[in-house]
Amino acid sequence: MSTTTTPSPGASREDLARLAEHWGERPSLRAWFATVDHKRIGRRYLVTAGFFFVLAGLNALVMRTQLARPEAGVVSPQEYNQLFSMHGIAMIFLFATPMLFGFGNFLVPLMIGSRDMAFPRLNAFGYWVFLFAGLFMWASLPFGAAPNNGWFAYVPLSGEQNNPGLHMDVYALGLLFLGISTTAAAINFIVTALKLRAPGMSLNRVPLFVWAIVATAFMVIFALPALNLDNAMLFLDRRFGTHFFDPAAGGNVLLWQHLFWIFGHPDVYIIVMPALGIVSAVLPAFTRRGVVGYPLIVLSIVAIAIISFGVWVHHMFATGLPQLSYSFFSAASTVITIPSGLQIFAWLATMLLGRLVIRVPLLFVIGFVVTFVLGGFTGVMFALTAFDQQVTDSYFVVAHFHYVLIGGAVFPMLAGIYYWLPKITGRMYHERLGRWAFWLVFAGMHVTFFPMHLYGLFGMPRRVYTYRSEPGWAGWNLVSTVGSYLLAVGLLLVLVGVVHAVRRGRPAPADPWDGDSLEWSTASPPEPHNFPVLPRVHSLHPMWDERTAESVGPGATSDRILSEGRHTLFTSELDAHPERAVQMPEPTLKPLVLAAALLLFFTSMLFAWYPVAAVAALTVAATIAVWLWPPRPLEQDLKVVP
Amino acid sequence: MTSSAARSAGRRRRPRALPAVASLYGLLLLAGCAGNMPSALNPGGTGAARVAGLWWLLFWISVAVFVEVMALLIWALVFRRGNARVRHGQPLRFVTIAGAGLPFVILVAVYGVGLRDLAALGEAPGPDAPAVEVTGHKWWWEVRYPGASGATANEIHIPVGERVRVRLRTDDVLHSFWVPQLMPKTDLIAGETRETWLHAERAGSYRGQCAEYCGNQHAHMAFLVVAQPRADFDTWLARLNAPARSPETDTERRGQQALVQGTCAACHAVRGTTARGRVGPDLSNVGSRWSIGAGAVPNDAGHLGGWIANSQTVKPGNAMPPQPVDAAQLPDLIAYLRSLE
Amino acid sequence: MTGHGGVVAAATGAEALSTELPVGRSTGWWGMVMFVATEATLFACLLGSYFYLRFQYGPQWPPNGIGDPELLKPLVMTAVLLPSSLPVVWAEHGIRQGQRWRLRCGLAATMVLGATFLALQATEYAEKLKHFTMTTDVYGSLFYLITGFHGLHVLVGLTMIGWLLATSLRGGSFGAHRHERVRNAAIYWHFVDLVWIAILFTIYLSPRL
Ligand code: HEA
Ligand code: HEA
Ligand code: CUA
Ligand SMILES: [Cu+2]
């Protein structure tokens, strides 16, 4: 790019004005719906997923209230079954994954030094589909038509014969609908990380969080089809009388389980991996050094992503499959703990060598280590088939997955929220309030879920809407319930803290933590174009590195300012050599229209209005055709033809 | 530096952590054995005993590794604050050994033990062991013995000290057969037959429950395994083959009339009468069963009456609709059913 | 920027770099490859399910006297669909050299072949439906789901090709340096083509093995 090198001290005022003009959005209703800015979309993901989290959490509180005493009548069995199903479905599909994708959306372009995602319009589309699919599923709850067969919806109980009504149609269609969003986001992350990294950010300088998101995205690509196929077959069985899961006509009920868990097991790592990425991203700022063993951690991430496709049968240890297959899947499940162990000890070593700066994000990371390790241990126990057969489908399993989900995913998310709140909102949070929240959440979590190990071992099965007093589970259940209220109060304080920060928090400087990754070089909150000058990256910790800093100051070159249009830079996949500047798309309403057409399609499928569905499908096709219609050729395109 | 730090930190913390662990251990033992709790930690037979052994092994390993992790964490929290000087090393050896090497060794060992236990659980009793056939229904268990004509429900009698084959089938959706104190779970798979076995070392009754979500009344799909000495078992089985006890009093006779001629007979069977329904549980020995409605309520006259009048209030959603029994007949019916032992 | 240095040298500012110069792989290419990867996984799951259900079912397959599928028509369909990738390749090479006529002719040829394939499939369905339907038993469900799903992909592919053809009629939509969309649609079409071979093997040939 030597031809365009004209050294200047950072971006000039005219450059900034031009950038603001090309990237800025004048506030208007239309702009609100048409935005393709990854930061606004990321924020929306976070808020929407947070909203679904509160709903699902409130479900859990009702469930816990019902379970506080034996034979309680707070809700009917039908209601309880919908509550726990929606709780699980929403927590997994509508909260955990989208929340982390929200972090990814906001952070990945900032961390890799780009001005947006690779496909900004696809990104907007993904958000709208997520929102609509979430509302589609939640809307069924007030009508008593919500999914009622747990988050893994085993056949034949989810079949038409055993479960008439819309419940499981909502499940199958809702998840198919949502799958579009997840797949789109995954493809977008991969391509963004491959092509949009700042010059110089070769693979060994990619932040761990980005590695984690990309590995997650690959897992989505290869895992989600199994779930989609499963749900398509379920829907066909229910609606159109096919027999995939009908043993009377040659079908097989275990096929559902295999396909579900071929997706489902990778899915739990899809949830935890970006969260572990957050841990790796937060630690350097609060230990004042880089995470120990970068290559080991990258290796662990890749190893987990691969091995996780070979363990699914450990969710089917009681179905009576051949022992040989059990011993194989048991071995694989045991092995998969090793990359997790590596990461845990890498973080411990980081803390042991660095200097701890005890602030709320670090507290949540420490809470994460304590909780996740305990949850991981019970996971290892399940990996041994003989033990799993005893505790599977009991509250011991419920304890395991809340330890890993809350300890492994929610705690890092909370750490991330406190850590990046200044970047996202431009405001600092209230430290004292944050500490109260931490201690309440931490204590509440353990008081709620630790006893579940006990009453699981004492014989209490999961998914029971009530229990009798004779088996003696009542006392421990009451403890759990009390704990869940405590947890709710803690989370309420988190919410209060966020609102407080947004309303009257101290304005945040660009880099309040003296952090190490590129997002801290942008303003808080970042300008629409993110970087006045796209940095040239010289190390794994660009913010702690003089030469990178120089590349956006005195060393800025116009091929990294790119202020002539809505431009960002493509670089090569492996070494991030600059390739060319690209025009990024303008805001548009097409993603919203497309998502709305899909909503119409799935709604009409649900209510069996097939002609409407056909019209909606045509609308989808037409919208895509218009969306992708090639733009008029640019003038200079004609000029450069050799 | 770090491994020695870990060791010394471990020494420092362990004394303080021990009481907590010990009391947890005590708690588990105590609570696990208390009263009639169906606890996996209070095994009554060889199957569950094996698993309990495996559990304690895993438990202590977890405690040890957890103490190690906590020790490192606390060390950092205590000594790596304030003015501590940041060190920029990359202790890859420490990370690999502590995070991968050591766990690998532990895991290989534990995996071996686990495999041994799995093989032990999978060893089916010989072909001439006593057998019982269990069919899962939404939401109760049908229990039959090969060669015996009769059936019972939600209660499985087995001889003490003998390994009993259990053949599992389901009539509708998936269920799972679980007796925590005797044997880990085996799922009942639609369209297939599964086998497991039971073995009780001491006489007594062991609570079991369906462990695979099966719909509205999955919560009330419990059963009881009654382990009795061989002789008692034989008498019990012989009774299961004979006609049900005939009514002795007028009330009972009227009750039998009501049952046989009423709606009940469409779904229920009573051996030796014309009631031969197979939709609901066989009622031939219902008077002596431990509960009504698969653990929903205790088996006494009051609950029985409530059940017959409207079982939907007792076990909402169960497959027995409210019965149009008139108030005058109800006491007779109750008396008759209670007499069926 | 080897190989295109001349082009860059001719350009004066950063602005000129924003044209769709064929440097490295484009985001569109990566996006399409990832999409095809996830679709291929879907087909793998589908065919995996077929074999799972078949082997769980027992020795007699297809069940209930349905009989082994006829081979003649599927082989003809293969003969129609497989070569349909060639005109696409030819068209793509053409447009890279700025020859729009090649693009248009190639795409049109592919459309004809693809449509013929679908027409043949329709006649096959018409015959089969007399014997068994999607609701007859699990074999029927699998047969129609797998072939129907593939047919749907052919239809989508044809829509893409048709769309390309329509856009290519406007001058300037595609040119020597503007052919990304052609390449992406081509990737999809080749994929649909290749999947058919797997289906041919699974549905039509494997029951005879
Ligand atoms: C974030 C999600 C998450 C994570 C990270 C994990 C992590 C693990 N899980 Fe978990 N799991 C779930 C979510 C998760 N799980 C969910 C949701 C279910 C239930 C689904 C349902 O039924 O509804 C489930 C269920 C589940 C089962 C099936 C249980 C059953 O239904 O019977 C099994 C069985 O093997 C299992 C195993 C494991 C293992 C081996 C790990 C390992 O990856 C854990 C590795 C981590 C550690 C071990 C800790 C750190 C390591 C060290 C400190 C090193 C030293 C360690 C040793 C020497 C042991 N999980
Ligand atoms: C990320 C995943 C996730 C998370 C975070 C949680 C969080 C919680 N879960 Fe969840 N749970 C699952 C995933 C998750 N769960 C899954 C997958 C299942 C299996 C479902 C199935 O079997 O199919 C399950 C099942 C499950 C069960 C078992 C149900 C059964 O088997 O019958 C229980 C029972 O106690 C439970 C409880 C809770 C509680 C009390 C919380 C708490 O942590 C929730 C706390 C959150 C809130 C309370 C909301 C936030 C509150 C505020 C912001 C404050 C404002 C409000 C007030 C104070 C009123 N969960
Ligand atoms: Cu039967 Cu749960
Ligand atoms: Cu798993």
Side-chain angles (χ1 to χ4, degrees), chain A residues 242-257:
Chain A
T242 55
H243 301 287
F244 297 105
F245 305 125
D246 175 8
N252 192 294
V253 294
L254 288 180
L255 175 63
W256 168 274
Q257 301 192 13

Side-chain angles (χ1 to χ4, degrees), chain A residues 160 233-251, chain C residues 63-64 66 125 128-145:
Chain A
E160 171 72 47
M233 294 199 293
L234 177 63
F235 187 70
L236 287 172
D237 267 14
R238 288 180 61 85
R239 246 335 140 65
F240 300 105
T242 55
H243 301 287
F244 297 105
F245 305 125
D246 175 8
Chain C
N64 302 330
I66 287 177
Y125 272 20
K128 292 254 193 236
L129 282 171
K130 287 189 216 130
H131 297 291
F132 63 97
T133 70
M134 195 167 78
T135 55
T136 306
D137 59 17
V138 72
Y139 177 78
S141 305
L142 281 168
F143 178 84
Y144 289 104
L145 178 65

Side-chain angles (χ1 to χ4, degrees), chain A residues 561-577:
Chain A
I561 298 177
L562 302 174
S563 62
E564 312 285 304
R566 207 179 157 89
H567 289 170
T568 193
L569 197 61
F570 276 10
T571 54
S572 63
E573 288 83 358
L574 300 180
D575 328 314
H577 283 312

